[in-house]
C-alpha cells in the first residue's frame, strides 16, 4: 500500500459518506478516476436504485479527458458488482472502458458479489489491488456488513444522561438534558438511519415526533413497541406524516402510514422486531429509549454501537439511572458546548 493509493482511497471514502441515509439497503460507495496524479472523474452512490459510484465517476469525466480514461487508475471503496440488480454490473463497465488498473478498498460480502467482481476484472487482464484503507472501507459500511453477515439491522443504542448518570428525574415531567447543538446532531443521526425505535412509556411521557425536522434528508421509519395497543391515537407518532410501525401482541394490518406488526408471545420480542425490520429492508435502527428497552437490547447482545450524550454541567440528585453497557471500546469523544458524546462499540464486534 502506497501513500498515493491511500490518498485517493481516502477521497473515495469522503465521497461515499455523502450518500449516508439514501443508499440503504445498498452500501455506501465512492469512486475516483486518476490520470497521472490528477483526478479526472469522481462520483458516489447517491440513491438506492440509481447509478453506482463507478458509473457516476466515469460519467463525470469531461469531454476533453475522455481519451485518458483507459490510461487512468480507478479507485473504488468497495468491490465493483458483477451481477445485474437495479443496475448493470459495474465490472462490465470498467472492462468496456479499457481501464487497466483498479484499486479497491475492501471486498463486498454480498453473496452475489463476494469476490466475483474482482475475479471478473482480473480475468479481463486488469491489475487489481485490494485492501487499501480496508479497515476504514469496512467501517463506513458497518451497517451493510451487519445486514449481510448477521441478517439483521445494525442497531445503535442512544441516550442522553446527566453528569451523574441519570436519564430522567423521579417525576413524569420531562427533563431536558442535551443542548440545542446536540439536538441538531441527533436529528442528523436520524436522517442517516433507516428506522428509529422507542418503547411505549417513552412515547406516552415524551410524545416525541421522531422526525429529523431539525435537519435535512430522508425521514426514518418510526417504530414503537406497544404490546397491548394502549397508546392514545393523538400522539405525534400517529400523525400519519411518515411511515410508522407498531409492534404489538393483538393485531396486524395497515391504516394509512401506520402498519401494525403482530408479535408472538412465546418468542423474543427484540429478535422478532429485528426480523421484521430485516424483511422490510430496514438496514439500521436508532434505539432512542426508554431505559428499559435500551437495557434489553444491551442485555441480549443486540447492539452494534452506542452513542452516549453526557451533559457535563447537569446534575440530577435523584432520577432514573442510565443503561449499563458491558465492556466496550471507545472510538471517539465529540464535544458540543456542555455536552460530550461518546461513540462506543462492543469489544467482540467483528464484521
Amino acid at each position: 500500500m502506497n501513500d498515493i493509493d491511500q490518498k485517493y482511497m481516502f477521497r473515495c471514502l469522503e465521497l461515499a459518506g455523502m450518500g449516508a441515509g439514501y443508499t440503504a439497503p445498498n452500501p455506501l460507495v465512492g469512486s475516483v478516476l486518476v490520470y497521472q496524479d490528477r483526478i479526472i472523474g469522481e462520483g458516489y452512490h447517491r440513491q438506492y436504485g440509481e447509478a453506482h459510484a463507478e458509473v457516476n465517476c466515469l460519467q463525470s469525466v469531461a469531454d476533453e479527458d475522455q481519451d485518458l480514461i483507459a490510461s487512468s487508475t480507478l479507485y473504488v471503496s468497495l468491490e465493483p458488482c458483477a451481477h445485474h440488480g437495479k443496475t448493470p454490473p459495474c465490472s462490465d463497465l470498467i472492462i468496456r472502458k479499457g481501464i487497466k488498473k483498479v484499486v479497491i478498498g475492501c471486498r463486498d460480502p454480498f453473496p452475489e458479489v463476494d469476490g466475483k467482481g474482482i475475479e471478473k476484472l482480473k480475468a479481463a487482464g486488469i491489475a487489481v489491488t485490494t485492501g487499501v484503507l480496508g479497515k476504514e472501507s469496512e467501517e463506513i459500511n458497518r451497517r451493510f456488513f451487519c445486514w449481510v453477515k448477521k441478517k439483521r439491522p445494525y442497531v445503535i443504542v442512544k441516550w442522553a444522561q446527566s453528569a451523574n448518570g441519570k436519564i430522567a428525574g423521579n417525576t413524569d415531567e420531562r427533563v431536558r438534558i442535551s443542548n440545542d447543538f446536540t439536538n441538531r446532531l441527533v436529528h442528523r443521526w436520524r436522517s442517516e438511519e433507516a428506522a428509529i425505535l422507542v418503547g411505549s412509556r417513552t412515547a406516552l411521557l415524551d410524545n416525541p415526533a421522531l422526525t429529523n425536522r431539525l435537519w435535512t434528508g430522508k425521514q426514518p421509519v418510526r417504530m414503537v413497541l406497544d404490546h397491548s395497543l394502549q397508546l392514545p391515537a393523538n400522539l405525534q407518532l400517529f400523525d400519519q406524516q411518515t411511515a410508522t410501525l407498531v409492534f404489538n401482541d393483538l393485531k396486524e394490518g395497515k391504516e394509512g402510514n401506520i402498519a401494525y406488526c403482530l408479535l408472538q408471545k412465546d418468542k423474543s420480542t427484540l429478535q422478532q422486531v429485528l426480523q421484521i425490520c430485516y424483511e422490510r429492508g430496514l438496514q439500521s435502527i436508532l434505539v432512542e429509549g426508554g431505559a428499559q428497552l435500551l437495557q434489553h437490547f444491551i442485555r441480549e447482545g443486540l447492539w452494534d454501537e452506542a452513542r452516549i450524550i453526557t451533559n457535563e454541567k447537569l446534575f440530577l440528585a435523584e432520577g432514573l439511572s442510565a443503561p449499563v453497557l458491558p465492556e466496550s471500546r471507545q472510538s471517539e469523544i465529540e464535544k458540543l458546548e456542555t455536552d460530550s458524546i461518546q461513540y462506543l462499540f462492543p469489544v467482540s464486534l467483528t464484521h
Side-chain angles (χ1 to χ4, degrees), residues 225-335:
L225 268 169
D226 183 16
H227 289 280
S228 302
L229 293 179
Q230 294 182 333
L231 290 174
N234 62 351
L235 292 179
Q236 293 188 88
L237 272 173
F238 305 132
D239 61 11
Q240 295 283 352
Q241 295 302 305
T242 189
T244 305
L245 303 183
V246 182
F247 299 101
N248 70 95
D249 300 336
L250 301 176
K251 73 174 184 179
E252 59 184 346
K254 192 171 182 182
E255 298 174 6
N257 272 332
I258 301 174
Y260 294 89
C261 303
L262 185 63
L263 301 175
Q264 299 180 43
K265 295 182 181 180
D266 59 341
K267 295 183 179 180
S268 163
T269 293
L270 299 189
Q271 292 281 7
Q272 291 183 79
V273 167
L274 295 183
Q275 180 61 32
I276 291 169
C277 289
Y278 181 79
E279 292 169 356
R280 287 176 172 266
L282 300 175
Q283 194 181 80
S284 60
I285 302 173
L286 182 63
V287 184
E288 288 208 8
Q292 188 175 17
L293 179 61
L294 288 161
Q295 197 65 65
H296 279 317
F297 272 97
I298 294 167
R299 188 178 301 119
E300 293 190 30
L302 297 174
W303 67 286
D304 302 287
E305 182 177 340
R307 298 176 183 176
I308 304 175
I309 301 162
T310 303
N311 185 331
E312 298 176 350
K313 301 295 184 182
L314 176 66
F315 289 83
L316 297 174
E318 296 180 341
L320 182 63
S321 294
V324 178
L325 285 174
E327 184 182 2
S328 55
R329 61 179 178 87
Q330 183 171 282
S331 66
E332 62 177 306
I333 296 181
E334 190 172 357
K335 191 73 186 290

Side-chain angles (χ1 to χ4, degrees), residues 40-56:
I40 63 171
E42 62 178 28
Y44 65 97
H45 186 31
R46 295 173 177 269
Q47 179 85 37
Y48 174 68
E50 295 184 3
H52 288 185
E54 301 93 320
V55 176
N56 288 330

Side-chain angles (χ1 to χ4, degrees), residues 4-21:
I4 295 296
D5 285 348
Q6 290 190 55
K7 178 177 74 171
Y8 291 120
M9 188 58 66
F10 184 79
R11 177 56 182 162
C12 288
L13 295 174
E14 283 186 325
L15 290 165
M18 294 171 69

Side-chain angles (χ1 to χ4, degrees), residues 46-170:
R46 295 173 177 269
Q47 179 85 37
Y48 174 68
E50 295 184 3
H52 288 185
E54 301 93 320
V55 176
N56 288 330
C57 174
L58 292 169
Q59 287 182 346
S60 75
V61 178
D63 290 342
E64 60 269 25
D65 289 333
Q66 286 289 317
D67 60 343
L68 303 179
I69 292 177
S71 302
S72 300
T73 299
L74 181 71
Y75 291 82
V76 59
S77 57
L78 190 69
E79 176 183 3
C81 61
H83 68 294
H84 284 270
K86 293 282 186 181
T87 59
C90 291
S91 54
D92 288 355
L93 174 64
I94 295 168
I95 294 169
R96 192 163 62 249
K97 289 290 186 177
I99 295 170
K100 298 174 179 62
K101 183 178 179 181
V102 176
V103 179
I104 296 169
C106 67
R107 186 161 161 164
D108 188 337
F110 187 63
E112 294 294 328
V113 186
D114 198 13
K116 298 180 180 68
I118 294 171
E119 291 173 5
K120 182 178 280 191
L121 296 177
K122 288 182 176 180
I126 296 173
V128 179
T129 300
T130 61
V132 176
L133 297 187
K135 181 179 179 181
E136 292 84 352
S137 297
E138 289 188 16
E139 177 72 12
I140 198 171
N141 272 313
R142 56 192 184 276
R143 296 161 182 79
F144 177 70
F145 274 61
C146 177
W147 176 261
V148 172
K149 293 187 174 184
K150 296 183 179 179
K151 299 191 182 305
R152 66 160 175 81
Y154 185 86
V155 177
I156 301 169
V157 292
K158 165 261 171 186
W159 65 86
Q161 63 186 23
S162 65
N164 58 330
K166 305 295 183 183
I167 65 171
N170 276 339

Side-chain angles (χ1 to χ4, degrees), residues 203-233:
L204 183 62
L205 295 181
D206 294 349
N207 191 19
L210 298 185
T211 63
N212 57 341
R213 60 196 176 278
L214 301 179
W215 200 258
T216 59
K218 188 178 179 182
Q219 296 289 348
V221 174
R222 302 181 296 192
M223 307 193 302
V224 61
L225 268 169
D226 183 16
H227 289 280
S228 302
L229 293 179
Q230 294 182 333
L231 290 174

